[in-house]
Amino acid sequence: RFVSATANEVLDSRSRPTLAVHLLTAEGRGFSAGVPSGASTGSREAVELRDGDDARYGGQGVLGAVRNVNEPIAELLTSRVFESLEDLDRAMIELDGTDDKSSLGANAIVGVSMAAARAFAAADGTPLWRFLGPADGEPRMPVPHFNVLNGGVHAANDLDFQEFMIAPLGAPSAAEAVRAGSEIYGHLKSLLRERGHEVGLGDEGGFAPEIADPADVLQLVADAIEGAGYTAGRDGVAIALDPASSEFEKDCVYRVAGRDRSSDEMIDYYAELVDRFPIWSIEDGLSERDRDGWRRLTERLGERVQLVGDDLFVTNPAIVRDAIADGIANAALIKVNQIGTVTETLETLAVCREGDYAAMVSHRSGESDDSFIADLAVASACGQIKSGAPARGERIAKYNRLVEIEALRARE
Ligand code: PGA
Ligand code: ZN
């Protein structure tokens, strides 16, 4: 039983306002959550409520969403006993009453849902990294995907592709994967310096040098992997891309490094990159508006690499279900705030499992120090997580939590 729900307007990692949510139970226990926020958002994401008052934070304030937690949601939470997280999440969805959570705000609802998940897990005496998993499932440590080089809307450089990640697929443990991530990140910094590039950072903590051609970046990252003493490839450290192509596509024309390509030319381009570099996964390779292109991309490369839908799927169980029936992509990115409740996020993970689609749990480019997604990734046993670079507090909070969970499980 909850006795109070409160929220505050606090800053996220990009210095934009977000919510910190606190729940108090009748037993006097407190549970909190920090709400993430994206920059390259899909058009069908649940709606984040912003005040639009230009006199505060350039219109980005979240006092309205804070009020929605403190008043209507708090009233709901304290009005009766909720039997389960699902019971509570469904009640919030009903109270909101819209399809996209635009009335109460997905940022208000998701914060309460995440904090409540912690409360229900504690009431159950179950750690969160087990509580968030399917009843018949075994938790599994995910492979961290470290975003070591940033472009797109996450950096001020001319690089159109948003994320270049290193994935230590061959690491024997999460702790060793983190070590590989950190050592390669350090080596990449030295290589950039040696080759006369800036080593400033983008929003997710990866370097943001002035390199426009994705192939040049891939060569640099592959050099950093090998230079740090690792094998570049699936048995060692592979590369994952998130071009986030909805951001540089217009009318199904993609502009990369000053050159325009059709969907089919983009598919040829990816095939060439996959031939040349140890790429194992490509997220949002084509735009959310290019469904036909996605079908051809899946036919052409679906057997060779993981094709992840982010903007395309927005963690929506119904959208993912349709895509599976349609043979579009073969994996879904999982972001709790894209759909707005933990319950619906778990539903999307279940749809992926049943449809034999892979899933990757993900942070947002705007983050807090909340490590919720580390527990979610372990519980879901999906095997993959991305949380930015192996640097900066809000990114390492998740990776350090993974290492902690691994140690806790070893002692069980
Ligand atoms: P976002 O970026 O949080 O800005 O949407 C992450 C991603 O595109 O995967
Ligand atoms: Zn993405």
Side-chain angles (χ1 to χ4, degrees):
R1 174 179 265 287
F2 296 101
V3 293
S4 75
T6 52
N8 295 301
E9 186 183 58
V10 297
L11 294 181
D12 74 8
S13 58
R14 258 196 295 251
S15 198
R16 291 213 314 177
T18 188
L19 290 87
V21 173
H22 311 279
L23 305 181
L24 192 65
T25 68
E27 295 77 40
R29 299 187 67 181
F31 299 94
S32 305
V35 175
S37 172
S40 63
T41 51
S43 62
R44 292 196 281 179
E45 291 195 18
V47 173
E48 192 180 76
L49 218 55
R50 299 269 173 197
D51 297 336
D53 169 5
D54 288 338
R56 298 186 71 254
Y57 291 113
Q60 299 296 318
V62 292
L63 293 180
V66 163
R67 199 176 318 115
N68 288 344
V69 174
N70 294 342
E71 293 171 16
I73 294 178
E75 217 166 279
L76 172 75
L77 235 72
T78 54
S79 67
R80 64 179 173 94
V81 175
F82 291 92
E83 295 304 325
S84 64
L85 178 64
E86 175 164 7
D87 186 17
L88 170 59
D89 283 343
R90 299 276 175 230
M92 285 196 287
I93 291 167
E94 196 180 316
L95 179 68
D96 173 82
T98 66
D99 284 340
D100 56 9
K101 302 186 177 66
S102 53
S103 159
L104 294 171
N107 43 352
I109 294 171
V110 82
V112 174
S113 182
M114 290 161 71
R118 292 191 159 111
F120 281 105
D124 225 30
T126 309
L128 193 60
W129 52 264
R130 198 183 285 287
F131 177 81
L132 295 172
D136 56 350
E138 227 351 84
R140 178 157 71 105
M141 297 308 295
V143 176
H145 286 56
F146 303 100
N147 182 6
V148 294
L149 207 136
N150 296 182
V153 299
H154 294 167
N157 56 15
D158 284 330
L159 180 61
D160 297 299
F161 280 18
Q162 182 178 280
E163 302 173 21
F164 294 77
M165 292 169 273
I166 49 172
L169 300 177
S173 65
E176 285 300 300
V178 166
R179 180 183 143 210
S182 170
E183 290 176 0
I184 294 164
Y185 183 73
H187 203 83
L188 178 60
K189 185 174 187 172
S190 311
L191 278 185
L192 284 165
R193 278 226 175 92
E194 267 171 37
R195 298 179 190 182
H197 294 293
E198 297 289 335
V199 291
L201 305 181
D203 286 355
E204 297 191 350
F207 302 109
E210 274 305 344
I211 305 175
D213 187 341
D216 292 342
V217 174
L218 284 162
Q219 188 59 58
L220 194 68
V221 173
D223 289 349
I225 293 170
E226 304 249 319
Y230 294 89
T231 309
R234 292 185 191 219
D235 47 355
V237 181
I239 296 175
L241 289 177
D242 179 7
S245 67
S246 306
E247 299 289 332
F248 55 80
E249 168 270 346
K250 203 169 174 282
D251 303 325
C252 290
V253 176
Y254 296 82
R255 194 170 186 84
V256 180
R259 180 174 157 192
D260 286 339
R261 287 185 174 87
S262 66
S263 309
D264 285 325
E265 286 167 337
M266 279 305 282
I267 295 168
D268 288 340
Y269 180 48
Y270 289 128
E272 182 200 315
L273 293 178
V274 168
D275 283 339
R276 282 178 63 195
F277 300 103
I279 296 169
W280 95 276
S281 177
I282 303 174
E283 176 185 328
D284 282 357
L286 294 178
S287 157
E288 62 171 323
R289 292 169 291 271
D290 189 2
R291 207 172 170 84
D292 290 338
W294 264 102
R295 197 171 290 113
R296 295 195 300 278
L297 173 66
T298 310
E299 275 163 20
R300 177 86 176 275
L301 287 177
E303 298 290 323
R304 294 184 63 194
V305 287
Q306 173 171 271
L307 298 170
V308 187
D310 171 14
D311 289 356
L312 185 70
F313 293 160
V314 294
T315 317
N316 185 310
I319 297 176
V320 176
R321 211 175 272 124
D322 276 356
I324 292 176
D326 239 5
I328 285 182
N330 55 32
L333 202 71
I334 303 292
K335 293 166 164 169
V336 185
N337 81 321
Q338 267 184 334
I339 185 72
T341 64
V342 173
T343 297
E344 290 163 288
T345 304
L346 300 183
E347 199 184 328
T348 305
L349 280 160
V351 168
C352 289
R353 258 192 306 275
E354 284 152 24
D356 227 6
Y357 266 37
M360 183 192 287
V361 170
S362 170
H363 67 154
R364 298 310 300 253
S365 51
E367 268 293 338
S368 72
D369 56 4
D370 192 323
S371 60
F372 188 90
I373 60 164
D375 290 69
L376 175 63
V378 175
S380 73
C382 70
Q384 313 173 48
I385 186 172
K386 70 167 191 175
S387 178
R392 300 192 11 164
E394 78 281 5
R395 310 296 150 188
I396 61 167
K398 286 70 163 171
Y399 297 132
N400 288 343
R401 173 66 178 157
L402 282 184
V403 172
E404 181 180 54
I405 295 170
E406 184 168 77
L408 289 168
R409 292 186 67 202
R411 278 187 233 120
E412 270 200 342

